[in-house]
Each structure stands twice: as C-alpha cells, then as structure tokens.
Amino acid sequence: MPETARHRGAALAVLSAASLMVVLDSSIVAVALPVIQTDLGFSAPGLAWVVNAYLVAFGGLLLLSGRLGDLVGRRKVFLVGIVVFTAASLAAGLSPNATALVVARFVQGVGGALTSAVVLGMIVTLYPEPRARVRAIGVYSFTQAAGASIGMVAGGALTQGLDWHWTFYINLPIGIAALVLTPLVVASDRGLGLRTGIDVLGALLVTAGVMLLVLGIVQAGDAGWTFLTIGTLVLAAVLLALFLVRQARTRTPLLPLRLLRVRAISGANLTMVVMVAGFLGFQFVTALYLQQVLGFDALTTGFAFVPTPVMIAAFSLGLADWLNSRFSPRAVLVAGLLTTSVAFLYLTQVQTAGGYASHVLPSLILMGAGAGMAIPALMGLAMSAATPDDSGVTSGLITTTQQVGGALGTAVLATAAATRTAEMLGGGASEKEALASGFRVAYGFSAGLTALAAILAAVLLGRRSAAAPADTAAEPVAS
C-alpha cells in the first residue's frame, strides 16, 4: 500500500474513533441513568438533565465550532474539543453530586461540539477523489449510525460489570490516544485566519437560538406542550430568524447564505432532520419496548440491538462505494429510506406476547440495511458542494441538523407513545397492553417520517445534486 494511502487510512481511523467516542457517550449514559439516579439522588425531572445538558450545549455550538475550524484550522479545533471532552468525562465520572454531574455533562457537550463539527470537513479535505471520498464517508457514517447501538451494549456491560462511573471513564483512553495520534497522522491546516473576521453577534444569535430550540424540543418530550415549552420554541425561532437577517447583511457571515441556495446542501440538510427524527426515535422506543414489555434487562437490551450495527457495517463499510458508483447517491438514499420505512411498518405489529425473533429481529436487520445505504449517501450529498474554505461550517451544519432531528424525533415519538398509553390505561387496558399500543403508534410515526424523508430526497435532491459526489469536489453545484 502506498505511504500516502497508509497515512490517510491512519488519519481516518483516528478521526472516526474520536467521532465514535462522542456518539457512544449519549447511549452509554442513557443505559446507566437508573443507577445514576439512585446513587446521586436525582429527582425524576432532574435526571433528564443528565442527557439534556449535553444535548443543549452540543447542538447549540456545532455551527460556531464548524466556522471556527474554517478560520483557525480544523485540526486545532478538533484537538481542543478532544481535550475539553476528555477532561469533562473525567469530571463526570468523579461527580460527587447531581449538580456536578449536570455541569460536567454541559462541558462535555461543548467538547463534543468542537470535536464533531469539524470531522466531516477534515475527511472531505483528506479524500478529494470522489470514489475514495465515498469509502471514507462510509466509515464515518458507520460511526454515526451504529454508535448508539454499540453504546447500548457497552453501557449495559459497564454498568452491570463495574459501575456507572465507567460509562464516563471509558472515554479517557480513547481521548488520550486521539490527542497523541492526531498530530502524527492528521496534517495541520492554516485556516482563513481570524483577521478575516468572525460575526460575533451572529455567533451569539445562532448559539442561543439552537440551544433554545433543542431545549424546547426536549422539554416537549419531558413535560409536554406547556406554556414554557411553547415560549422557548417561539424565542428560538425569533433568534434564528434574526440570525438569518444578520447573515444576509454582514460582510463576514458565520453561515454564508449562498450555501443554503445550493440544492445539494439545503436539500440534504432538510432530509437529514426528518430522517434522523425517525431513526433516533426508533432506538428510544425499541429500548423501552424490549425492557418494559418483553422484560429484557439493560445488558440484554444492548445485545438485542447488535444486528443493526452489523448490517450498517455491511452496507456502509462494504457496499457503499459500489452502490453509489453503480447507482446515483440519490437512488441509494431513497432506497435506504424506503427500506427503513418498511422496517418501522413491520414494528407496528408488535404485541405484548410477541417474541424478539419474530417481531423485532427482522426489523432490526432491515433497519440496519436501510441506514447503511441512506446515511453514507446523504452525508456525501450534503458535503458534495462544500469548498475547502467552507467545509468546516458545512460539516457543522449537517451535524447540527442531525442533533435537531434526533431531539425532535425523540420528543415527538415519546409524546405520541405516552398519549396513546394514557388513553389505553384510561380505557381499562393492562399496563403492558397500553405500553405496546403506545409503541405501535410511535413506530407508525417513524415509518411516516422516513417515508417523508424519502420523498424530500427524491424531490429536492435532483439529478444534478445527486451526481455531485462523482464530479465535484471543489465546485459548488448550482441550484
């Protein structure tokens, strides 16, 4: 293998491992929440902030982090993010009380945003050749798509085999290794320079706006559509609208609005929001179904998800290159989304006495195949029109839409399931019957969301956009 190929492979491995660490963190912690609540004395509403504090900081800072990468150098931002994330992981593991853990989780979110926002842009720069880029994005997509399922297995094993502190300590060796290896295998980049200007007001508006948007969405899932939830979302909408106005008028925009006029970018980001809403809601609902209806424990639940990352690996690592070169990325994306929609439709048939093998396993396999097709294709389309100067902010944008879509999907599906469950309990159904009915409704929402994402991809990502990875690495695709 040529030296350059080995070097790039090592760089891709380090970047993907660091990205996987950030993705794993959320699902590993989710499995440990009941034990954390008992040990640190969290109230039921307070426990949600172990997850929410991370999501708010992470989602709110992604776009700013991506633009900082363009200005000061993506490798610098990546390394700072690793330092912050690793240090906050240690602090979280050592937390003596609930307040300390929530603060550490917020700081983890800051580090996660700095790390994640620039990774995709670094990979695109590292692999300018179209076919090599498709393979590299397939590797990155695997970490994004399979990370949550792998985290459930790891979280269950660590929580039951050791204790909840290790769900945070596990990040330390990965973070330290990334800090040591990144300067050795990832080339330094100069960036445009802060002297070109950074829109401070725009940064404040978008950070506050996205933070409030994520906060309002998670509040809707936890507490329902209260006056506070609606007020938070309205304020978020106002701040984001002011941000767009600001970007249209300033000479140094944080998010150049010309990027949103490129169909490959705007269409892919809109599709991403809807797709991830269906995908992450599926993980949340299925974990609850396995534990609350079928009686699985945390570790068994984690292992039950294993077929999904296995199938994602088979498609995103093994077949993505061939599929995207044999067919258009848009065709692969639509086929993958429709496959996942079929998986969700099958899950709408789950019963209280339904077995894992008959009702859940076939859907997990279909889900993994569909996600393994859809996510690499969509990531490639989202980055296809990014120029070297804009790859950081474009990467931050697609990661932001992932987070917003995930928060939105979890909130919508949780609300739908809870509403149906309450109706069934009010009608005299048993607890398991009521829960299963609620989960069936949630799966129906996921099927609808992924089908809608397929329609958006087919309509918004036209032939010229869909062909972008094959013929543009630096030139924008016209809308």
Side-chain angles (χ1 to χ4, degrees), residues 72-81 188-190:
V72 304
R74 286 178 283 277
R75 194 181 77 167
K76 289 178 184 177
V77 172
F78 176 80
L79 288 171
V80 170
S188 178
D189 55 311
R190 293 176 58 86

Side-chain angles (χ1 to χ4, degrees), residues 114-135:
L114 290 166
T115 301
S116 299
V118 295
V119 168
L120 191 54
M122 294 168 78
I123 291 174
V124 167
T125 302
L126 192 63
Y127 288 90
E129 307 91 351
R131 291 200 64 175
R133 177 183 293 185
V134 169
R135 290 192 293 270

Side-chain angles (χ1 to χ4, degrees), residues 111-397:
L114 290 166
T115 301
S116 299
V118 295
V119 168
L120 191 54
M122 294 168 78
I123 291 174
V124 167
T125 302
L126 192 63
Y127 288 90
E129 307 91 351
R131 291 200 64 175
R133 177 183 293 185
V134 169
R135 290 192 293 270
I137 289 179
V139 174
Y140 171 78
S141 299
F142 170 75
T143 69
Q144 300 297 294
S149 298
I150 296 172
M152 288 184 178
V153 178
L158 290 170
T159 302
Q160 294 185 202
L162 296 169
D163 58 48
W164 67 265
H165 302 276
W166 284 93
T167 61
F168 298 106
Y169 293 153
I170 192 65
N171 295 327
L172 302 184
I174 304 174
I176 292 170
L179 284 174
V180 172
L181 294 174
T182 297
L184 299 177
V185 300
V186 178
S188 178
D189 55 311
R190 293 176 58 86
L192 299 173
L194 286 175
R195 64 184 179 277
T196 61
I198 184 169
D199 180 17
V200 177
L201 177 57
L204 292 173
L205 287 171
V206 73
T207 300
V210 176
M211 280 187 172
L212 287 172
L213 177 62
V214 175
L215 177 60
I217 291 171
V218 298
Q219 281 180 335
D222 293 339
W225 295 96
T226 63
F227 177 79
L228 179 61
T229 297
I230 296 172
T232 301
L233 291 173
V234 169
L235 181 57
V238 171
L239 291 176
L240 292 174
L242 290 174
F243 167 71
L244 292 176
V245 171
R246 170 71 179 175
Q247 299 312 285
R249 295 181 177 180
T250 184
R251 292 197 301 176
T252 57
L254 185 68
L255 173 64
L257 294 185
R258 58 182 167 75
L259 294 177
L260 300 182
R261 291 192 290 270
V262 178
R263 276 180 86 173
I265 295 176
S266 57
N269 275 274
L270 182 57
T271 303
M272 178 67 78
V273 171
V274 180
M275 179 187 78
V276 174
F279 282 9
L280 288 194
F282 145 78
Q283 291 176 329
F284 169 78
V285 171
T286 303
L288 291 178
Y289 171 73
L290 292 174
Q291 293 183 65
Q292 295 179 356
V293 177
L294 298 188
F296 286 23
D297 61 25
L299 183 58
T300 307
T301 298
F303 278 109
F305 277 92
V306 166
T308 298
V310 168
M311 293 300 295
I312 290 173
F315 279 84
S316 64
L317 302 182
L319 296 174
D321 180 25
W322 181 82
L323 287 171
N324 283 281
S325 60
R326 176 67 178 81
F327 307 99
S328 73
R330 180 183 67 164
V332 175
L333 170 60
V334 172
L337 289 169
L338 292 177
T339 301
T340 60
S341 188
V342 171
F344 292 132
L345 285 174
Y346 188 73
L347 281 169
T348 60
Q349 306 304 308
V350 295
Q351 304 294 326
T352 55
Y356 169 79
S358 60
H359 287 84
V360 180
L361 180 59
S363 296
L364 293 178
I365 293 172
L366 282 174
M367 179 69 194
M373 287 189 283
I375 294 177
L378 185 53
M379 290 286 190
L381 287 167
M383 295 299 296
S384 63
T387 65
D389 289 345
D390 292 326
S391 62
V393 71
T394 307
S395 173
L397 179 61

